[in-house]
Amino acid sequence: MKSVFLGTPDFAVPSLEHMIAAGHGVVTVVTQPDRPKGRKQELIPSPVKAAALRHGIPVFQPERIRRPEAIEYLRALQPEIMIVVGYGQIIPRVVIDIAPRGIINVHASLLPELRGAAPIQWAIARGGKTTGVTTMQIDEGLDTGGILMQSETAIDPNETAVELSPRLAVDGAQLLVRTLAVVERGSLPAAPQDSSRATWAPILKKDDGRINWTRSAHEIHNHIRGLQPWPGAFTCFRGQTLHLWRSQLSGRRSDLLPGALINDSGVFVTGGDGAALEILEVQLEGRKRMPAAVFANGQRLTNEERFA
């Protein structure tokens, strides 16, 4: 099928590459404009643009997909189907209607659970034990389209969002290729979502990363694992921001106040339920990431000192 692929982040790259490997005719890749990054603010192409150029596929980078010139460009391509994976803009009805077979989206959750921009992070932060990927037929709502196929996977108790994301990216790519194979042979009915079961995974804000030490140690552990790579889980230590990048449940208990530190054969911090969470990797504001034991030695931590 003659197709147009719309995507931007690393998560979308396996889907594009699996489509190419399966022989689907991707005539153009649509991605976000190059953005300035780093200290020098150099314009950096999106991961999907870099992948498209490696495969010699033309790239189109409109500032807004809903602008008339972008719509006319897509119409002129006459695609039979379009694919969206993490494009980063809402697709309007006028674009949805361009391709006779519509637009298929790869979403990183088992819809209708975790609709929204950050399903991987929220799946972990909320303590989910399983998640998955969904291919769906895009409509005008936010992740509300009919479900085509789904694939489920377990979340390891210590797995971070940074580790889970590439796994789901490959799962999503494989599911997309299976979905397209069925669509190409005929039709694939889309099952309506049960909106009464819908949950939300909103775009992350900086303050979402702040740790509330009155929560249980298990909840804080999930928070640390899930809020990656941005904004990261953080707390206040001696008036500075301290990011906590890796932790593990210890089985220890403490009578100290929530957030109190225990520097004893490791770095532990007390949760609101009295359980002690072991901190494994940290990063003080303006410094490099380091093992918590190295941080503790350098800062000369004292027992009962508290994170706030």
Side-chain angles (χ1 to χ4, degrees):
M1 291 181 291
K2 186 179 181 183
S3 61
V4 169
F5 186 93
L6 297 88
T8 299
D10 285 314
F11 182 86
V13 172
S15 288
L16 174 60
E17 294 188 330
H18 275 63
M19 283 186 65
I20 295 167
H24 295 288
V26 181
V27 295
T28 294
V29 163
V30 182
T31 190
Q32 298 275 29
D34 297 357
R35 303 297 188 194
K37 289 186 179 180
R39 292 181 179 179
K40 296 183 179 180
Q41 290 292 283
E42 295 180 13
L43 290 177
I44 304 297
S46 74
V48 164
K49 177 180 179 178
L53 295 178
R54 287 197 301 270
H55 290 280
I57 299 173
V59 174
F60 179 51
Q61 296 176 272
E63 192 65 43
R64 291 286 181 269
I65 195 68
R66 61 176 60 250
R67 288 182 179 170
E69 61 271 22
I71 294 167
E72 289 309 310
Y73 180 92
L74 292 172
R75 279 191 180 133
L77 293 173
Q78 297 184 321
E80 189 174 354
I81 194 168
M82 292 195 281
I83 310 299
V84 170
V85 187
Y87 175 55
Q89 294 183 29
I90 299 294
I91 309 298
R93 169 55 62 183
V94 66
V95 173
I96 295 172
D97 290 340
I98 287 174
R101 292 180 181 263
I103 302 180
I104 292 177
N105 173 239
V106 178
H107 185 76
S109 80
L110 297 174
L111 292 169
E113 296 177 2
L114 298 171
R115 293 174 176 174
I120 298 174
Q121 290 89 343
W122 287 116
I124 294 177
R126 292 173 183 164
K129 295 182 179 179
T130 60
T131 187
V133 287
T134 300
T135 51
M136 71 170 183
Q137 197 81 42
I138 276 190
D139 62 14
E140 291 177 275
L142 179 60
D143 301 326
T144 56
I147 293 170
L148 300 171
M149 290 185 177
Q150 293 187 314
S151 175
E152 186 173 346
T153 188
I155 301 174
D156 184 88
N158 290 309
E159 191 169 25
T160 68
V162 171
E163 295 162 342
L164 178 59
S165 183
R167 283 210 298 119
L168 289 182
V170 173
D171 288 352
Q174 294 170 343
L175 188 69
L176 173 62
V177 169
R178 294 202 299 272
T179 301
L180 289 173
V182 176
V183 171
E184 196 166 28
R185 289 196 298 267
S187 64
L188 179 60
Q193 293 187 39
D194 180 358
S195 292
S196 68
R197 294 177 44 239
T199 59
W200 299 96
I203 191 168
L204 290 164
K205 306 182 297 296
K206 174 67 175 177
D207 203 54
D208 288 326
R210 189 179 304 278
I211 297 171
N212 178 357
W213 293 105
T214 65
R215 300 177 73 191
S216 72
H218 199 170
E219 289 173 321
I220 295 167
H221 176 57
N222 294 337
H223 187 89
I224 292 169
R225 295 189 300 127
L227 275 290
Q228 297 188 25
W230 189 91
F234 61 88
T235 189
C236 184
F237 171 75
R238 296 178 184 172
Q240 291 183 281
T241 298
L242 180 71
H243 280 269
L244 308 185
W245 290 111
R246 195 170 287 274
S247 61
Q248 66 182 9
L249 299 172
S250 70
R252 294 179 58 164
R253 298 197 64 81
S254 167
D255 294 329
L256 300 174
L257 291 172
L261 290 161
I262 308 166
N263 187 20
D264 173 20
S265 302
V267 179
F268 302 85
V269 61
T270 308
D273 60 347
L277 181 68
E278 184 172 9
I279 306 302
L280 302 177
E281 188 177 12
V282 302
Q283 183 178 14
L284 196 60
E285 187 176 18
R287 307 281 185 86
K288 295 181 179 179
R289 290 168 67 158
M290 64 181 66
V294 174
F295 169 79
N297 290 337
Q299 296 294 323
R300 298 182 180 178
L301 291 186
T302 60
N303 286 331
E304 302 187 32
E305 190 167 10
R306 294 180 64 195
F307 289 151

